[in-house]
Amino acid sequence: MIKIAIDAMGGDYAPNAVIEGVEQARDLFEDTVFLLYGQRDVINAQLKNRDRIQIINADEVITMEDEPVRAVRRKKHSSIVMAAQAVKDGQADAFFSAGNSGAVLAAGLFIVGRIKGIDRPGLVTVLPVVRNANQSNFVMMDIGANADSKPLNLQQYGVLGTYYAERMMQAKHPRVALLNNGTEDDKGNKVHKAAFELLSQTDGIDFVGNVESRDLLNGVADVVVTDGFTGNAVLKSIEGTARSMLGLVKDAVYNTGISGKLGGLLLKNGFNEIRSQMDYSQYGGAVLLGLKAPVVKTHGSSKAPTIVNTIRQIRQMVSTDIVPGVAEYFANQQANQQANQQASVDIPAEND
């Protein structure tokens, strides 16, 4: 059985939306047990059926206003901290929350822990491709875990993103690209130029060079790597632009009198299809990839359907052994580096 630890108190609509989503997921996935962490009385008042759902009382709640690291260190009996601890102790296979993003990231790093060899885990999400018949989505990483990134981090994101695309999206030989301010090889600042060189020399990934943000939704790559500050800004820009454009089209149609409203009714299905295609929550939450177990952060405004999609995503991560595969790769990489270093030491110096 797959066991998922869930912060029942996190999110704008918690605990109602979380509990509703968990109950729907329970009815869909017979091989999954749900550990709900939160205020027992509040959860019991909302829960309709306790089959394969365990409630673990957590007296404290980390709010959106709490400073993340301080809250994780001080609120040991909060739903976020206790759910993350359950993963560390082997009581659960994965943890997710729709609550305070910084606290979820801090709990993942400090409690669940990094995979050895990974410098900085990053947040990865799946975004839609809208103008390519041969591709429906792509992976972007990092989207907010690390505002500043070193070239090594961006190189490791290329490896992590490749694993994610292969296992979760069934992408064969996923193309990895570096988000930059131009497509030429020499574009970008010192960090991007150094990252370009590292990615070009990395075994096991198909690096295709630089890409610009304006081309992302056209399917120019399967994996796009960037620093967390830029990734988060691009993600919100895509989300905001899609919402604004749909609003403009809707206003243009319905503000032109009776004929426009009749035309709008005819186009309603088309609008709904576009809205659905641009809704990246259908793929689940953002994964803090590089940790010893899956840690997933869903949007604060998530409702039951997104909770179900996130649980589906977590089940796939656990069943496809993404974390063990990543850990094995970086363990082998470190072993090879140590062997090469030892070999260089053992080579006798040439006599003058």
Side-chain angles (χ1 to χ4, degrees), residues 308-344:
V308 174
N309 290 335
T310 303
I311 291 170
R312 179 181 289 108
Q313 172 192 22
I314 292 172
R315 290 180 67 259
Q316 187 177 352
M317 287 186 68
V318 173
S319 62
T320 54
D321 292 328
I322 284 183
V323 171
V326 169
E328 182 180 2
Y329 174 88
F330 282 95
N332 291 337
Q333 188 181 56
Q334 283 195 322
N336 291 336
Q337 289 175 349
Q338 292 173 356
N340 291 336
Q341 290 172 355
Q342 185 61 44
S344 64

Side-chain angles (χ1 to χ4, degrees), residues 32-47:
T32 306
V33 173
F34 305 91
L35 311 181
L36 287 183
Y37 289 81
Q39 297 171 346
R40 188 187 302 275
D41 293 342
V42 176
I43 296 174
N44 275 326
Q46 300 292 329
L47 196 60

Side-chain angles (χ1 to χ4, degrees), residues 108-142:
L109 288 169
F110 300 146
I111 299 174
V112 178
R114 293 181 293 119
I115 291 173
K116 186 177 181 181
I118 294 179
D119 186 53
R120 291 184 184 179
L123 275 172
V124 59
T125 193
V126 178
L127 292 171
V129 169
V130 297
R131 300 192 66 185
N132 188 330
N134 298 317
Q135 184 181 351
S136 59
N137 47 42
F138 70 97
V139 165
M140 188 161 71
M141 181 180 185
D142 177 19

Side-chain angles (χ1 to χ4, degrees), residues 105-322:
L105 298 181
L109 288 169
F110 300 146
I111 299 174
V112 178
R114 293 181 293 119
I115 291 173
K116 186 177 181 181
I118 294 179
D119 186 53
R120 291 184 184 179
L123 275 172
V124 59
T125 193
V126 178
L127 292 171
V129 169
V130 297
R131 300 192 66 185
N132 188 330
N134 298 317
Q135 184 181 351
S136 59
N137 47 42
F138 70 97
V139 165
M140 188 161 71
M141 181 180 185
D142 177 19
I143 60 162
N146 307 285
D148 298 308
S149 297
K150 298 177 292 186
L152 173 64
N153 304 140
L154 298 176
Q155 180 215 26
Q156 292 187 342
Y157 294 160
V159 175
L160 292 168
T162 293
Y163 267 89
Y164 195 86
E166 288 177 340
R167 303 292 180 88
M168 295 294 289
M169 299 159 51
Q170 290 75 51
K172 296 182 179 179
H173 309 295
R175 300 159 297 155
V176 178
L178 176 65
L179 186 60
N180 212 327
N181 64 341
T183 59
E184 297 85 355
D185 293 356
D186 60 348
K187 279 289 186 178
N189 56 21
K190 292 181 179 179
V191 171
H192 284 79
K193 291 178 181 179
F196 185 98
E197 293 301 320
L198 282 177
L199 287 163
S200 300
Q201 299 165 13
T202 303
D203 294 333
I205 69 171
D206 180 15
F207 182 59
V208 296
N210 292 320
V211 295
E212 297 182 20
S213 58
R214 65 182 179 183
D215 297 321
L216 293 180
L217 300 187
N218 295 333
V220 291
D222 302 290
V223 178
V224 176
V225 299
T226 184
D227 62 89
F229 180 87
T230 303
N232 191 266
V234 169
L235 178 67
K236 290 177 179 177
S237 178
I238 290 173
E239 183 180 29
T241 300
R243 187 182 295 124
S244 297
M245 290 302 297
L246 284 172
L248 285 173
V249 173
K250 183 178 179 181
D251 290 344
V253 169
Y254 289 102
N255 291 338
T256 55
I258 297 297
S259 60
K261 292 179 180 180
L262 291 174
L265 289 175
L266 296 175
L267 295 172
K268 183 178 180 180
N269 290 338
F271 290 156
N272 289 337
E273 184 177 347
I274 293 172
R275 183 180 293 108
S276 176
Q277 192 173 9
M278 292 300 297
D279 180 16
Y280 60 86
S281 68
Q282 64 183 296
Y283 303 113
V287 181
L288 188 57
L289 205 55
L291 299 181
K292 295 178 181 178
V295 171
V296 183
K297 170 65 177 72
T298 55
H299 201 285
S301 61
S302 295
K303 295 185 179 180
T306 302
I307 301 298
V308 174
N309 290 335
T310 303
I311 291 170
R312 179 181 289 108
Q313 172 192 22
I314 292 172
R315 290 180 67 259
Q316 187 177 352
M317 287 186 68
V318 173
S319 62
T320 54
D321 292 328
I322 284 183

